[in-house]
Amino acid sequence: MAKRSREPNGAASIYKGADGRWHGRVTVGIRPDGKPDRRHVGRKTKAEVVKAVREIERKRDAGNLPKPGQTWTLGSWLEHWVHEIAKKYVSENTYAGYEVDVRVHLVPGLGAHRLDRLEPEHLEAFYAKMQRDGSKAGTAHHVHRTVRVALAEARRRGHVSRNVAEIARAPRIEEEDVEPYTIEEVQSLLLEASKLRNSARWVVALALGLRQGEALGLQWEDVDLDAGYLRIRRNRLRPRYQHGCGEEPCGRKPGYCPKREQIRREHKSTKSRSGRRTIGLPDPLIKLLRKHQEEQNRERAEAGADWEDKGYVFASPTGGPLSPNTDYHVWKRLLRDAGVRDGRLHDARHTAATVLLLLGVPDVIVDAIMGWEPGGAARMRARYMHVTGPMLRKVADQVGEKLWGLPGPN
């Protein structure tokens, strides 16, 4: 074996081995067992080894050198991260989104890559393939956000020296141009909704702009009809189930198992300061909610011992929480029955926001009613303030009056 020159403790050593190749060893820290962590590189020439050693030293001094130990693949790290790390610290809905991205998209598509050898181009090529295979840009964008968070945690723990998802270009998503419902369309919807159970549910959506989770999580203790306001303090969560059929599997998905068991809580508290808010109620809505309360009291009496006294404003015929999925399908049926163009449930929120802005309600009050974060409120107002045909006509008439002396509209 070739003789090595003795270097000071902690310094890198470079030598030519008996195999004819040049070798370098760099002390970069302490291993988990307490012994020095010495990294080795081998090259054909001394210049190549010197360059490799200097790169290791640079990463060591910058704190960007991966730790020794388990060699992670992207798949093994993502599964560890989502189940053992993220699950403990994020909300149920956030975790559910991460879990789907990891299980359905990232592990099958990129999981075999070594974590420390993943490149931005790998991610960008994968996003393009997702879209070629039929995924929407929004889905690919969500996957990008998930892997970015996962790799940030890997970098924080020293498993990678950089977060390649911060370098990779995320798929571009263009905001949909959503047209709010007109006053005539809203009136048609409210007329048709009056024929349904929980008819006030749709008035609350169209008049106050509550999100679906906020409306379905609303409880009577949050509503003061005498004072004329309600408080938003919780959100209904989408249910999640597991099989309850035991040793004789039913062969269905967990949600359709005859003995399914709920494994997620029904609601969670609204955490953000802007999300927790108090909203004043118009007099017609107060009257409608009083009538709704009376109808629910009749249902309680009819259900007797079967009534679940959980306090939901909008409940099932036996007092239980409404399913967000069922609520969505009722909305779609309401649109068809009212003869109104199809739209998302969230479009009801667009409509309420636009009405508030058109009425000239001060921005700070609009932000409070809608529950918009202060930092992004201006952007949200711009997104929700849809310029409608009547508004354009009014501005055109005003321009004609000023410039040409034409009479304005009566």
Side-chain angles (χ1 to χ4, degrees):
M1 182 175 179
K3 184 179 180 181
R4 308 185 201 180
S5 61
R6 184 170 180 82
E7 301 290 346
N9 289 338
S13 60
I14 297 173
Y15 60 93
K16 189 173 184 179
D19 59 358
R21 289 169 59 84
W22 284 86
H23 300 268
R25 296 185 182 273
V26 187
T27 301
V28 298
I30 304 297
R31 297 188 312 191
D33 61 4
K35 296 179 181 180
D37 178 13
R38 297 273 288 175
R39 303 292 174 92
H40 169 263
V41 292
R43 301 288 189 272
K44 290 183 179 180
T45 67
K46 183 177 181 179
E48 290 176 322
V49 168
V50 169
K51 182 178 179 181
V53 165
R54 297 293 176 262
E55 179 65 15
I56 292 175
E57 290 176 330
R58 183 187 67 79
K59 290 183 177 181
R60 175 197 64 190
D61 297 341
N64 291 332
L65 199 65
K67 294 193 303 185
Q70 178 179 356
T71 300
W72 296 94
T73 63
L74 179 62
S76 62
W77 169 251
L78 287 171
E79 289 175 342
H80 171 77
W81 166 77
V82 75
H83 296 302
E84 304 299 329
I85 301 174
K87 188 175 184 179
K88 300 174 182 177
Y89 301 106
V90 300
S91 69
E92 291 96 327
N93 284 349
T94 301
Y95 167 73
Y98 287 162
E99 193 275 334
V100 169
D101 287 343
V102 168
R103 172 173 50 83
V104 176
H105 301 292
L106 288 165
V107 170
L110 292 169
H113 282 282
R114 274 267 302 265
L115 185 64
D116 57 353
R117 295 179 182 174
L118 188 68
E119 295 293 336
E121 291 76 16
H122 294 143
L123 297 178
E124 292 168 345
F126 175 62
Y127 303 149
K129 183 178 183 300
M130 283 183 64
Q131 292 176 263
R132 287 196 303 272
D133 292 344
S135 293
K136 293 183 179 179
T139 302
H141 195 92
H142 195 280
V143 167
H144 173 76
R145 293 202 304 268
T146 296
V147 73
R148 185 179 63 199
V149 175
L151 292 180
E153 187 65 30
R155 187 176 187 277
R156 194 173 73 85
R157 294 173 183 245
H159 299 310
V160 293
S161 60
R162 60 176 182 160
N163 185 346
V164 297
E166 292 180 348
I167 303 171
R169 294 285 186 176
R172 181 179 179 182
I173 49 177
E174 297 182 2
E175 292 185 346
E176 297 180 12
D177 188 13
V178 181
E179 184 181 354
Y181 291 111
T182 65
I183 296 299
E184 291 76 17
E185 288 173 323
V186 171
Q187 290 172 341
S188 296
L189 287 169
L190 294 181
L191 178 62
E192 194 63 35
S194 66
K195 306 173 186 177
L196 304 176
R197 275 193 73 253
N198 292 320
S199 62
R201 153 78 182 100
W202 307 110
V203 183
V204 163
L206 291 161
L208 304 182
L210 299 191
R211 301 174 177 91
Q212 184 189 44
E214 294 170 344
L216 299 189
L218 197 64
Q219 296 189 352
W220 285 113
E221 65 181 18
D222 305 322
V223 181
D224 190 329
L225 296 179
D226 293 329
Y229 65 83
L230 59 80
R231 291 192 180 96
I232 303 300
R233 297 192 290 186
R234 59 180 64 82
N235 277 287
R236 171 77 167 106
L237 294 173
R238 291 186 175 276
R240 189 167 186 174
Y241 303 99
Q242 67 180 11
H243 281 286
C245 43
E247 298 179 357
E248 298 181 4
C250 63
R252 304 176 183 178
K253 293 182 178 180
Y256 296 94
C257 174
K259 300 179 181 179
R260 67 185 185 185
E261 297 174 359
Q262 172 70 267
I263 58 174
R264 178 180 288 177
R265 54 181 172 161
E266 291 178 359
H267 58 77
K268 68 172 183 176
S269 299
T270 301
K271 291 184 178 180
S272 69
R273 183 175 299 178
S274 60
R276 295 190 304 271
R277 59 198 191 275
T278 301
I279 303 176
L281 299 172
D283 287 340
L285 184 52
I286 293 174
K287 294 177 182 177
L288 189 60
L289 285 171
R290 288 191 190 279
K291 180 182 177 183
H292 173 70
Q293 193 172 42
E294 293 171 0
E295 292 172 350
Q296 192 177 92
N297 288 336
R298 283 196 294 272
E299 289 183 338
R300 179 187 287 107
E302 292 172 1
D306 293 331
W307 182 262
E308 299 178 74
D309 197 10
K310 296 188 173 182
Y312 286 106
V313 174
F314 306 117
S316 72
T318 55
L322 294 178
S323 163
N325 186 53
T326 302
D327 183 70
Y328 167 81
H329 288 295
V330 172
W331 166 255
K332 289 293 188 179
R333 188 171 69 248
L334 177 60
L335 292 174
R336 291 194 299 270
D337 293 347
V340 172
R341 57 190 164 85
D342 191 30
R344 305 171 306 166
L345 179 51
H346 200 69
D347 292 346
R349 183 168 165 81
H350 278 268
T351 300
T354 302
V355 169
L356 291 173
L357 292 164
L358 287 175
L359 290 174
V361 177
D363 290 349
V364 65
I365 303 299
V366 174
D367 297 346
I369 292 174
M370 300 304 295
W372 289 333
E373 293 284 353
R379 181 182 61 83
M380 293 304 294
R381 283 195 299 273
R383 173 156 170 69
Y384 278 77
M385 183 57 169
H386 305 280
V387 181
T388 61
M391 290 174 61
L392 293 173
R393 182 67 262 166
K394 181 178 179 181
V395 171
D397 290 337
Q398 290 173 339
V399 170
E401 181 181 2
K402 294 295 183 183
L403 295 184
W404 290 281
L406 300 175
N410 293 325

